[in-house]
C-alpha cells in the first residue's frame, strides 16, 4: 500500500522490491492494486462551472442572514407575547398559580405554532427547490 | 484543476488572524474561509453522497452550521479537520435518512486532463467511469471518503490522517480495505475490463 502510494523511503522501497522477487502473493496483490490505481488515477471529478463557485458563497451568506433574521423575529415575538400575556393576567387581579400556569401554557402553544410555521416554510422551500432541479 | 488540489494549499490562504476575526463574528473573514475550503468540502461531500446537487446543498449547510458553532472552534487548530466533522455528520445522516431525494448521478467522473502523460493507458470509456463511480458509491462511507481523499485529491497519508483525525497506520489499513472493497465491487459489476484477476 505505501509502496504504491509513494509513501516509502528509499531503503524501504529497495527492501520491498527484493521481497517481491520471491513472493508470488505480494506480487499478485500489488498487480491488482496497481491496475485499480491505473483506473482511479485516470479520472477526476467533474469541475463545476465558475458560475457555480460564484453563487456558492452568496448562497451561504444569504442563508446565514436569513437564519439570523428568523431567530430575531422569533425572539421578538415570544418576548412581546410574554409581556402582553403577563399584563393581561395582572389586569385581572393578583398572580396565582392558576394564572401562571395559563401563561406558561399560552407561551408553549405559541412556540409550537411558530415551530410548525417554520417547518412548513422550510418544507415549502425545499419542495420548490426540488421542482427547479428537475 | 481543483480535484487534484492539495489540502494544504486550501489552508494556505487562511491566517490565524482571519480565524480569530471569524470567531468574533466577522463575515468577511468567514467569506475567505468558505472560499478557501468550498472546493474541498464540495468534492468530499460529492464522494460521500454521490450527487452534485446534494453535495452542494450539504456542504453549504455545513458551512452555515460551522458559522453558528464557531464559538467551539479552537483557533490554534486548522479549520478543515474541525469543519470536516460537521460536514461528515451531515452527509452520513443524509445518506441514512430519508431526506435523499435525488439519485446517484452517474455523470460525475471525467478523464483527467493531465492523463496524456501515459499514452499506453487506454482512454477510459464513459461507461467504465460510470461503473467506477457506481462501485465507489456502493462502498461504506468510510471507504468512500478515504478513496476520495487519496485518489481524487492525491492526498498524502499524513494529510488524510489530519483531516479524518485518525493515525497514519489507520489510514494505511483503511485504505487497503477500501481498495479491496472497490476492486470487489468492480468485479461484481463486470463492466470494467482488465480487473478480472485470477482469484
Ligand atoms: Zn510477501
Amino acid at each position: 500500500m505505501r509502496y504504491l502510494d509513494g509513501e516509502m523511503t528509499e531503503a524501504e522501497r529497495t527492501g520491498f522490491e527484493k521481497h517481491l522477487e520471491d513472493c508470488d502473493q505480494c506480487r499478485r496483490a500489488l498487480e491488482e492494486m496497481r491496475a485499480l490505481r491505473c483506473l482511479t488515477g485516470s479520472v477526476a471529478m467533474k469541475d463545476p462551472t465558475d458560475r457555480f463557485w460564484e453563487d456558492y458563497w452568496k448562497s451561504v451568506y444569504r442563508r446565514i442572514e436569513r437564519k439570523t433574521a428568523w431567530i430575531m423575529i422569533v425572539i421578538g415575538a415570544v418576548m412581546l407575547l410574554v409581556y402582553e400575556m403577563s399584563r393581561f393576567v395582572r389586569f385581572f387581579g393578583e398572580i396565582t398559580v392558576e394564572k401562571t400556569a395559563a401563561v406558561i401554557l399560552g407561551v408553549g402553544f405559541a412556540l409550537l405554532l411558530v415551530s410548525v410555521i417554520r417547518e412548513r416554510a422550510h418544507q415549502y422551500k425545499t419542495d420548490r427547490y426540488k421542482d427547479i432541479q428537475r | 484543476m481543483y480535484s487534484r488540489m492539495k489540502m494544504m494549499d486550501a489552508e494556505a490562504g487562511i491566517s490565524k488572524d482571519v480565524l480569530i476575526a471569524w470567531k468574533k463574528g466577522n463575515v468577511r473573514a468567514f467569506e475567505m474561509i468558505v472560499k478557501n475550503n468550498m472546493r474541498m468540502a464540495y468534492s468530499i461531500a460529492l464522494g460521500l453522497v454521490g450527487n452534485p446537487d446534494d453535495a452542494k446543498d450539504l456542504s453549504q449547510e455545513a458551512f452555515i452550521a460551522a458559522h453558528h458553532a464557531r464559538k467551539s472552534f479552537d483557533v490554534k487548530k486548522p479549520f478543515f479537520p474541525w469543519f470536516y466533522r460537521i460536514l461528515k455528520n451531515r452527509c452520513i445522516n443524509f445518506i441514512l435518512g430519508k431526506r435523499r431525494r435525488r439519485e446517484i448521478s452517474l455523470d460525475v467522473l471525467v478523464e483527467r486532463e493531465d492523463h496524456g502523460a501515459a499514452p499506453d493507458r487506454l482512454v477510459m470509456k464513459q461507461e467504465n467511469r460510470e461503473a467506477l463511480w457506481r462501485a465507489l458509491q456502493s462502498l461504506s462511507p468510510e471507504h468512500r471518503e478515504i478513496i476520495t481523499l487519496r485518489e481524487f485529491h492525491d492526498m498524502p497519508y499524513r494529510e488524510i490522517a489530519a483531516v479524518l483525525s485518525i493515525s497514519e497506520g489507520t489510514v494505511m489499513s483503511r485504505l487497503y480495505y477500501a481498495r479491496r472493497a472497490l476492486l470487489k465491487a468492480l468485479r461484481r459489476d463486470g463492466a470494467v475490463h482488465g480487473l478480472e484477476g485470477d482469484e
Side-chain angles (χ1 to χ4, degrees), chain A residues 12-26:
Chain A
E12 282 175 319
R13 284 186 83 84
T14 326
F16 185 67
E17 274 158 14
K18 209 168 174 68
H19 170 78
L20 278 179
E21 277 168 25
D22 36 43
C23 179
D24 262 3
Q25 217 179 337
C26 282

Side-chain angles (χ1 to χ4, degrees), chain A residues 45-57:
Chain A
M45 284 181 186
K46 209 181 233 175
D47 200 356
T49 58
D50 289 341
R51 181 69 199 278
F52 177 97
W53 294 121
E54 276 164 30
D55 288 344
Y56 194 95
W57 160 252

Side-chain angles (χ1 to χ4, degrees), chain B residues 45-61:
Chain B
L46 181 53
L48 282 170
V49 300
N51 179 300
D53 296 320
D54 291 331
K56 186 185 181 192
D57 271 2
L58 287 161
S59 60
Q60 285 177 328
E61 281 170 21

Side-chain angles (χ1 to χ4, degrees), chain B residues 73-92:
Chain B
F73 173 67
D74 180 359
V75 291
K76 288 192 283 295
K77 289 178 180 159
F79 174 79
F80 200 82
W82 177 81
F83 167 74
Y84 185 60
R85 273 191 289 270
I86 299 172
L87 178 64
K88 186 180 175 180
N89 264 331
R90 289 190 165 247
C91 290
I92 291 189

Side-chain angles (χ1 to χ4, degrees), chain A:
Chain A
M1 199 68 8
R2 276 163 62 228
Y3 179 75
L4 207 61
D5 291 324
E7 296 264 352
M8 274 185 172
T9 62
E10 198 54 44
E12 282 175 319
R13 284 186 83 84
T14 326
F16 185 67
E17 274 158 14
K18 209 168 174 68
H19 170 78
L20 278 179
E21 277 168 25
D22 36 43
C23 179
D24 262 3
Q25 217 179 337
C26 282
R27 210 167 43 229
R28 202 142 5 101
L30 183 68
E31 277 319 306
E32 276 184 348
M33 286 295 171
R34 201 174 258 157
L36 182 66
R37 270 236 86 183
C38 183
L39 194 70
T40 54
S42 70
V43 294
M45 284 181 186
K46 209 181 233 175
D47 200 356
T49 58
D50 289 341
R51 181 69 199 278
F52 177 97
W53 294 121
E54 276 164 30
D55 288 344
Y56 194 95
W57 160 252
K58 284 181 197 153
S59 169
V60 168
Y61 178 70
R62 262 199 309 274
R63 280 146 90 176
I64 287 173
E65 216 175 36
R66 214 160 290 169
K67 194 159 184 176
T68 313
W70 256 117
I71 290 168
M72 281 164 77
I73 289 169
V74 169
I75 291 174
V78 168
M79 273 168 68
L80 209 66
L81 205 80
V82 169
Y83 176 71
E84 285 303 323
M85 281 187 80
S86 66
R87 229 174 52 153
F88 178 79
V89 169
R90 231 176 297 144
F91 183 75
F92 284 97
E94 60 191 85
I95 296 167
T96 63
V97 176
E98 201 185 328
K99 282 168 187 166
T100 314
V103 172
I104 293 169
L105 202 69
V107 172
F109 272 120
L111 274 174
L112 201 65
L113 189 73
V114 168
S115 155
V116 168
I117 291 169
R118 268 192 78 165
E119 199 188 315
R120 282 289 146 80
H122 185 74
Q123 266 174 11
Y124 173 71
K125 206 174 76 191
T126 40
D127 281 350
R128 205 180 40 187
Y129 188 57
K130 189 176 163 187
D131 291 339
I132 294 166
Q133 290 297 312
R134 288 274 149 84

Side-chain angles (χ1 to χ4, degrees), chain A residues 32-33, chain B residues 175-184 187 199:
Chain A
E32 276 184 348
M33 286 295 171
Chain B
L175 194 54
Y176 174 76
Y177 288 111
R179 281 173 172 160
R180 287 234 63 96
L182 184 59
L183 213 48
K184 212 171 143 193
R187 286 205 183 112
E199 272 187 317

